[in-house]
């Protein structure tokens, strides 16, 4: 038997716990503020200046670089963090808490940049331009995921499709030229997509297993071919495709800051913008998109209304493979100009995280892709600033961000209802 | 004039079952034909054949006198046949417009959806048939009754002339049922023809023009509401005399067995699903929990049985606080559970009857000795229970998934009732069962009550609640709105409370009760 005393105690503990949930983030915010104030600011001379340069050579209108007192900026950032923390403890941000946590994250990153660039200058615009470039494979991979998952097929094979696309792009690109390379990458992606479709739709193999199989197969096969043939010095010409050169879009690229960040890139970046817009329209404004999504939400309902569930899902898988293959070509044809073993480095999986984070929406995927792109860009920047953190740890940053983002988002975002469930017609 | 629809000699065999046996049915233009039969009689199979989901092994279908081949839902739609499925075929995250036009989209050049044009058409249909549907609403935000009307609009949008309604009232409150009947009458007035599939006698009597009764895949009789009586229909449906009203002596109230105090349960998304629920349950009484599906009954039962930890509040069984106890501890205190989904939560389908019968006692003597199971004792127990509870099975080693629904439920009842219990929590104990099994289970539950057991009966079938309960609690949006004596309330009043209308029960009615309505 529990005594009333015990019940009182339990009540107090429960009360404390419910407040505790509100207090934790607040206390954390204030700790962040203290860290910035006490640790970062301490090592800075009072007169030290930080310069964020905003110009890359060829913009028509040069706008002045952004120069400010490091200490003052850090104090400002610390003050903001502390203010948000106090508000959280006293009143509590109700629903907006996730965006506040995001904002705090942004402030911390900004603080580190300000601190790291103290006494020197960093190219703010350049960093963001790199963010856009690095977001390409992640965004395009996420779009591939959206294509198949919106129709109810889980596609974790994006990584494998990408590495296959990168390989096919490099080799065919070396033999027949860059455009042929892209075509080859798309075709190999389509082929793998078809394999995934046949396995998971016709034979109802668990989609995770089918996808994993494709990942292992592609990674293994490309590595084997690379080591066996491409590394041979006589075959070097097979892996010298070169890459698409940046093309500055007239007028748009001349806009200060915005221009160099978004409109002075190569084919793949523009293709990413195009695909995001195309998919947004196709999925939500067209007959095709309505049917595509219906199959991912409630295939039986779609079937009773005369939508061909199997055909829709096959098409979705193949299109997904094509987009993923194209995204894979970015690694060879859009970036380094040759194939290297496991060069996708898990971007296909980060793309899936971006897809979930972007709530299975193309625009959301672009935003999520930019976030992960920023993490990669930041990694590069911080290592250039000779940050007192080992480079290996910095390289982990994008993956850590992936985990944090997924931990925060998964469970709250809602994917297609029939995602990953094979459809079986009832009739005998 | 030929009938609008005629089925001739439809036969469908599934492995081991003759689901439809040379069925002949005619549907005249502008009538409501009720297809009455028990679960498993073959009604739904027949309609799925008509809708092109199954292929018949034999038989022909004629529409307006012309023979048609229906091999897919598209063929059915083209022939003017539309079906409202028992489980709605709606996509929750789509708007009404999107749901309605899916498969039959209005487009502008280039394949772009013309949502406005489709929405206008929906508004027009809604107006004509008084359906009150707003095309821009998200389906998941609509109450069940409205979702059903969206299904009807889907058929009208496709110009269906023959509407098949498969058990349309199963998910509705009594008021929604009345509204549905008005809509159906409106539809036939405007020249539509309707096939109404059901196993509920009251509804057939109320809305059908003609009645065809199906039993074990055959048409066993045709009649009209004017000629028929519920007793006669029940006899036709079941094939023998059925006692529609379970006899029940007044209860003999004993000490409090279950106390629930300010119980709150939150779901996975931390929405409150059971909201500040308080009640007491005594030995020797049946407390019925009525309510439309999805108003927190499932979560309440899960909390009471230890399957879900409550967010706050207290559950006390026989003076022990079990709010945070494990299911086993609650079971060991003498509480029995007949779960809502017997196949998912009640049985291990791939195990034998004998094993399923000791699922909550296997760790005790005589069924185990240390870590070793005593097979002999388990089998002996199974043999005895199979006999005592009349479980129809080839043997005790038979796997549970090969039993019929009624016999599966008997396995659960045998397991739960064969040990000394003080509290029985029965959730939808007769869902999907035939009239014979329902009779059996009801009498077993009342027997337990008479032995002094406290019974909590959760059901969405108002008739069942009214028939068995001593007191009735109504759940709506997670709250218990009211608890009343069963003989102090009418079905209509309960229906209103279930729909969230605050009760103003006339106390004088207590004498003049109509509560004992005819079941099914």
């Amino acid at each position: 038997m529990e005594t009333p005393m015990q019940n009182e105690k339990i009540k107090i503990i429960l009360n404390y716990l419910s407040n505790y949930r509100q207090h934790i983030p607040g206390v954390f915010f204030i700790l962040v503020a203290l860290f910035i104030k006490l640790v970062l600011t301490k090592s800075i001379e009072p007169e030290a200046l930080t310069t964020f340069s905003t110009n890359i050579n060829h913009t028509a209108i040069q706008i002045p670089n952004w120069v400010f007192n490091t200490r003052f900026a850090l104090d400002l950032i610390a003050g903001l963090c502390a203010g948000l923390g106090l508000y959280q403890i006293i009143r509590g941000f109700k629903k907006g808490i996730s965006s506040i946590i995001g904002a705090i994250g942004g402030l911390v990153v900004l603080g580190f940049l300000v601190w790291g660039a103290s006494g020197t200058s960093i190219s703010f615009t350049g960093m963001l331009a790199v963010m856009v470039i690095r977001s390409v494979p992640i965004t395009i991979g996420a779009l591939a995921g959206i294509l198949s998952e919106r129709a109810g097929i889980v596609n974790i094979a994006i990584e494998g499709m990408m590495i296959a696309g990168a390989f096919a792009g490099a080799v065919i690109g070396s033999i027949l030229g860059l455009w042929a390379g892209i075509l080859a990458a798309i075709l190999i992606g389509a082929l793998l997509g078809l394999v995934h479709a046949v396995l998971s739709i016709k034979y109802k193999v668990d989609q995770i297993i089918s996808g994993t199989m494709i990942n292992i197969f592609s990674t293994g096969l490309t590595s084997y071919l690379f080591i066996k043939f491409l590394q041979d010095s006589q075959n070097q010409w097979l892996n010298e495709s070169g890459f698409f050169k940046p093309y500055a879009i007239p007028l748009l690229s001349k806009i200060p800051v915005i221009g160099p960040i978004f409109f002075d890139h190569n084919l793949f970046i523009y293709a990413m913008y195009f695909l995001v817009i195309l998919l947004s329209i196709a999925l939500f404004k067209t007959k095709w998109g309505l049917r595509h999504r219906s199959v991912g939400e409630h295939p039986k309902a779609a079937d009773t209304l005369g939508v061909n569930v199997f055909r829709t899902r096959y098409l979705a898988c193949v299109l997904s493979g094509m987009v993923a293959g194209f995204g894979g070509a970015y690694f060879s044809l859009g970036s380094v100009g040759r194939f290297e073993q496991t060069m996708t480095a898990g971007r296909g999986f980060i793309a899936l995280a971006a897809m979930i984070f972007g709530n299975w929406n193309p625009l959301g995927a672009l935003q999520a892709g930019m976030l992960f792109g920023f993490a990669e860009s930041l990694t590069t920047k911080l290592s250039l600033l000779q940050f007192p953190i080992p480079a290996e740890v910095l390289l982990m940053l994008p993956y850590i961000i992936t985990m944090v983002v997924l931990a925060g988002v998964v469970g709250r975002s809602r994917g297609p209802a029939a995602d990953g469930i094979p459809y079986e017609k009832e009739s005998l | 004039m030929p009938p609008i629809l005629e089925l001739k000699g439809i036969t469908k065999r599934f492995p081991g079952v003759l689901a439809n046996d040379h069925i002949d049915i005619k549907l005249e233009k502008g009538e409501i034909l009720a297809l009455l039969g028990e679960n498993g009689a073959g009604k739904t199979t027949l309609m799925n054949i008509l809708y092109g989901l199954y292929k018949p092994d034999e038989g022909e279908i004629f529409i307006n006198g012309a023979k048609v081949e229906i091999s897919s839902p598209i063929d059915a739609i083209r022939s003017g046949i539309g079906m409202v499925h028992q489980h709605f075929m709606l996509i929750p995250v789509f708007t009404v417009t999107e749901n309605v036009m899916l498969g039959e989209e209005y487009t502008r050049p280039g394949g772009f959806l013309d949502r406005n044009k489709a929405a206008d058409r929906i508004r027009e249909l809604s107006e004509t048939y008084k359906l009150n549907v707003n095309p821009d609403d998200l389906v998941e935000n609509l109450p069940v009754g409205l979702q059903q009307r969206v299904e009807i609009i889907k058929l009208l949008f496709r110009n269906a002339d023959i509407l098949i309604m498969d058990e349309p009232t199963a998910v509705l409150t009594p008021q929604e049922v009345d509204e549905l009947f008005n809509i159906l009458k409106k539809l036939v007035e405007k020249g539509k023809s309707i096939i109404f599939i059901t196993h509920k006698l009251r509804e057939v009597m109320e809305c059908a023009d003609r009645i065809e009764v199906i039993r074990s895949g055959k048409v066993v009789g045709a009649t009209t509401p004017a000629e028929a009586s519920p007793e006669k229909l029940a006899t036709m449906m079941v094939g023998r005399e059925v006692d529609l009203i379970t006899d029940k002596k007044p209860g003999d109230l004993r000490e409090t067995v279950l106390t629930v105090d300010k119980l709150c349960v939150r779901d996975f998304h931390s929405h409150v699903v059971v909201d500040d629920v308080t009640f007491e349950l005594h030995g020797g009484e049946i407390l019925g929990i009525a309510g439309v599906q999805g108003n927190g009954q499932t979560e309440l039962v899960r909390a009471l049985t230890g399957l879900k930890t409550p967010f706050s509040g207290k559950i006390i069984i026989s003076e022990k606080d079990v709010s945070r106890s494990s299911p086993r501890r609650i079971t060991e205190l003498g509480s029995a559970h007949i779960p809502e989904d017997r196949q998912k939560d009640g049985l291990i389908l791939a195990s034998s009857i004998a094993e399923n019968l000791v699922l909550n006692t296997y760790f005790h003597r005589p069924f185990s000795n240390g870590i070793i199971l005593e097979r002999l004792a388990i089998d002996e127990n199974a043999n005895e229970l199979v006999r005592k509870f009349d479980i129809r099975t080839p043997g005790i080693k038979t796997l549970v998934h090969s039993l019929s629904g009624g016999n599966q439920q008997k396995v659960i009842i045998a397991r739960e009732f064969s040990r000394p219990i003080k509290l029985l929590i029965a959730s939808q104990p007769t869902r999907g069962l035939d009239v014979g099994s329902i009779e059996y289970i009801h009498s077993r539950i009342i027997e337990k009550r008479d032995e002094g057991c406290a019974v909590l009966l959760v059901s969405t079938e108002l008739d069942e609640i009214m028939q068995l309960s001593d007191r009735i609690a109504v759940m709506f949006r997670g709250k218990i709105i009211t608890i009343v004596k069963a003989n102090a309330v009418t079905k209509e009043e309960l229906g209103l409370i279930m729909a969230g209308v605050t009760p103003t029960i006339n106390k004088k009615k207590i004498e003049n009760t109509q509560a004992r309505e005819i079941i099914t």
Side-chain angles (χ1 to χ4, degrees), chain A residues 31-49:
Chain A
L31 283 179
V32 166
L34 287 177
F35 172 78
I36 293 173
K37 178 73 195 155
L38 297 180
V39 180
L40 292 188
T41 317
K42 210 176 172 193
S43 58
I44 303 287
E45 300 292 314
E47 307 84 32
L49 295 178

Side-chain angles (χ1 to χ4, degrees), chain A residues 1-2 7 281 284-287 290-291 293-294 297-298 300-301 303-306 411 414 426-428, chain B residues 14 51 53-54 73-74 85 88-91 93-94 102-103 105 111-113 115 140 158 314 319:
Chain A
M1 271 297 280
E2 280 169 14
N7 287 339
I281 293 174
F284 299 107
K285 301 278 180 208
T286 70
K287 173 174 151 180
L290 187 70
R291 293 181 171 202
R293 286 184 292 134
S294 74
E297 293 288 346
H298 195 336
K300 196 162 180 214
D303 197 12
T304 57
L305 296 172
R414 187 165 70 163
E426 265 179 39
S427 50
L428 292 164
Chain B
F14 291 117
Y51 196 60
L53 290 170
Y54 294 154
I74 313 178
H85 298 262
F88 298 155
M89 293 294 165
L90 294 171
I91 296 164
V93 296
F94 281 15
L102 177 64
E105 298 87 351
F112 290 100
L113 294 171
R115 287 194 168 85
E140 63 184 346
R158 289 165 174 74
K314 243 191 240 161
E319 301 183 337

Side-chain angles (χ1 to χ4, degrees), chain B residues 93-272:
Chain B
V93 296
F94 281 15
T95 63
V96 170
T97 309
E98 289 173 329
N99 265 293
V100 169
M101 74 170 162
L102 177 64
E104 197 90 343
E105 298 87 351
Y106 284 173
T107 52
R108 290 191 294 260
F112 290 100
L113 294 171
D114 195 343
R115 287 194 168 85
N116 291 337
K117 197 174 151 199
D120 287 344
R121 174 91 197 282
I122 292 166
R123 268 189 213 101
E124 190 191 307
L125 287 169
S126 167
E127 193 69 24
T128 316
Y129 296 98
K130 302 274 178 290
L131 296 173
N132 207 4
V133 167
N134 175 11
D136 302 324
D137 286 340
L138 267 186
V139 163
E140 63 184 346
N141 297 338
L142 297 178
V144 181
L146 258 173
Q147 292 192 4
Q148 191 170 55
R149 289 187 233 158
V150 175
E151 285 279 26
I152 294 174
I153 286 204
K154 258 162 83 175
L155 312 187
L156 299 172
F157 190 84
R158 289 165 174 74
N159 299 313
D161 290 319
I162 303 164
L163 276 57
I164 306 169
M165 312 281 297
D166 188 5
E167 300 274 2
T169 57
V171 287
L172 303 181
T173 62
Q175 278 68 32
E176 287 175 319
V177 170
D178 290 342
E179 280 172 40
L180 174 69
F181 288 168
N182 286 334
I183 291 167
L184 294 186
K185 292 200 173 113
K186 193 113 205 155
L187 286 165
V188 288
E189 250 170 54
K190 307 241 173 191
K192 307 285 182 195
S193 317
I194 295 171
I195 300 180
F196 186 102
I197 303 176
T198 187
H199 65 270
K200 296 190 183 177
L201 304 174
R202 181 179 78 93
E203 293 167 2
V204 171
M205 299 293 291
E206 212 167 292
C207 87
D209 294 315
R210 283 194 308 120
I211 303 168
E212 302 259 10
V213 184
I214 295 189
R215 189 173 73 231
S216 336
K218 288 195 191 86
V219 176
V220 291
T223 179
T224 61
E227 295 166 5
S229 68
E231 288 77 17
K232 198 177 140 200
L233 285 175
T235 308
M236 278 165 87
M237 196 161 100
V238 183
R240 62 177 166 85
E241 295 275 332
V242 186
D243 202 357
L244 289 178
I245 297 165
T246 314
D247 287 327
K248 201 177 76 171
K249 297 190 295 273
D252 168 23
L253 225 55
R254 303 188 188 184
E255 76 292 356
T256 309
V257 175
L258 170 71
T259 309
V260 176
D261 185 25
K262 298 200 181 79
L263 183 74
C264 289
V265 180
R266 293 191 177 187
D267 70 0
F268 182 65
H269 302 286
S270 52
H271 296 138
V272 176

Side-chain angles (χ1 to χ4, degrees), chain B residues 209-414:
Chain B
D209 294 315
R210 283 194 308 120
I211 303 168
E212 302 259 10
V213 184
I214 295 189
R215 189 173 73 231
S216 336
K218 288 195 191 86
V219 176
V220 291
T223 179
T224 61
E227 295 166 5
S229 68
E231 288 77 17
K232 198 177 140 200
L233 285 175
T235 308
M236 278 165 87
M237 196 161 100
V238 183
R240 62 177 166 85
E241 295 275 332
V242 186
D243 202 357
L244 289 178
I245 297 165
T246 314
D247 287 327
K248 201 177 76 171
K249 297 190 295 273
D252 168 23
L253 225 55
R254 303 188 188 184
E255 76 292 356
T256 309
V257 175
L258 170 71
T259 309
V260 176
D261 185 25
K262 298 200 181 79
L263 183 74
C264 289
V265 180
R266 293 191 177 187
D267 70 0
F268 182 65
H269 302 286
S270 52
H271 296 138
V272 176
V273 279
V274 174
D275 190 0
D276 200 17
V277 163
T278 299
F279 64 85
E280 275 192 358
L281 179 58
H282 301 269
E285 75 163 342
I286 300 179
L287 173 64
I289 303 235
V292 181
Q293 179 90 59
N295 275 289
Q297 303 98 314
T298 307
E299 291 81 2
L300 173 65
V301 169
R302 291 185 77 83
L304 293 181
T305 49
L307 294 169
K308 189 165 177 55
T309 312
F311 179 74
S312 64
K314 243 191 240 161
I315 303 165
I316 294 162
I317 297 177
S318 306
E319 301 183 337
K320 302 255 188 330
D321 187 336
V322 295
S323 320
R324 283 161 203 281
S325 300
S326 67
R328 178 176 287 187
R329 179 171 143 84
I330 293 173
T331 314
E332 294 287 276
L333 279 175
S335 157
H337 180 206
I338 302 177
E340 180 179 301
D341 184 340
R342 62 177 154 267
Q343 302 206 331
K344 207 172 122 215
D345 299 326
L347 297 164
I348 299 178
L349 292 179
S351 290
S352 71
I353 293 175
E355 285 165 337
N356 270 285
L357 284 171
V358 293
L359 278 185
N360 50 14
T361 43
Y362 70 89
F363 45 89
H364 283 311
R365 283 173 182 278
F367 303 127
S368 68
N369 187 2
I371 58 164
I372 310 293
L373 283 181
E374 294 287 351
R375 289 280 166 189
L376 274 177
I378 291 173
D379 291 354
E380 206 172 290
N381 172 65
N383 279 322
E384 190 196 322
L385 292 183
V386 163
R387 199 168 348 103
K388 198 168 147 201
F389 287 86
D390 189 29
I391 301 168
R392 309 271 166 85
T393 165
I396 56 162
K397 300 286 182 203
T398 308
L399 300 188
V400 168
H401 74 79
S402 60
L403 297 181
S404 72
N407 280 306
Q408 287 181 349
Q409 196 72 330
K410 281 183 188 169
V411 172
I412 294 179
I413 292 197

Side-chain angles (χ1 to χ4, degrees), chain B residues 9-13 49 54-61 70:
Chain B
I10 299 286
T11 301
K12 175 76 188 172
R13 294 179 198 90
I49 288 173
Y54 294 154
K55 253 193 187 45
D57 298 323
E58 287 166 42
E60 293 168 322
I61 301 170
I70 299 176

